Amino acid sequence: MKKLFAPFTSFINDIKQLVKASTNLSKSLHNLNDKMTEAQPTIDSINQSVEDFNHKNEVPLKRIAEAQARIEKETEKF
């Protein structure tokens, strides 16, 4: 008789494991969402710092590019 119910018992145990894994996944996703929400201000701050840095260096980089173009033009004469 035990052999008759063995597949059903195994199936029920598999479902229990699946439910447990699903619950753990749900908890992990909730924790990940919380951490992403906590990290968002830091991410925003870093992005703003990068934008500020790029804006601050825009004029000097433009001058460097212009100087490089002049140097290349002068060296072509030789």
Side-chain angles (χ1 to χ4, degrees), residues 1-10:
M1 196 66 149
K2 284 187 176 183
K3 287 186 178 183
L4 180 65
F5 289 107
F8 296 110
T9 304
S10 177

Side-chain angles (χ1 to χ4, degrees), residues 7-17:
F8 296 110
T9 304
S10 177
F11 179 70
I12 289 171
N13 288 334
D14 290 345
I15 290 177
K16 286 179 182 178
Q17 288 177 347

Side-chain angles (χ1 to χ4, degrees), residues 12-41:
I12 289 171
N13 288 334
D14 290 345
I15 290 177
K16 286 179 182 178
Q17 288 177 347
L18 180 62
V19 168
K20 186 176 180 179
S22 177
T23 301
N24 288 339
L25 177 61
S26 180
K27 287 178 183 177
S28 294
L29 288 173
H30 181 72
N31 288 338
L32 177 60
N33 189 41
D34 288 347
K35 296 302 178 188
M36 290 297 292
T37 300
E38 289 176 22
Q40 193 60 49

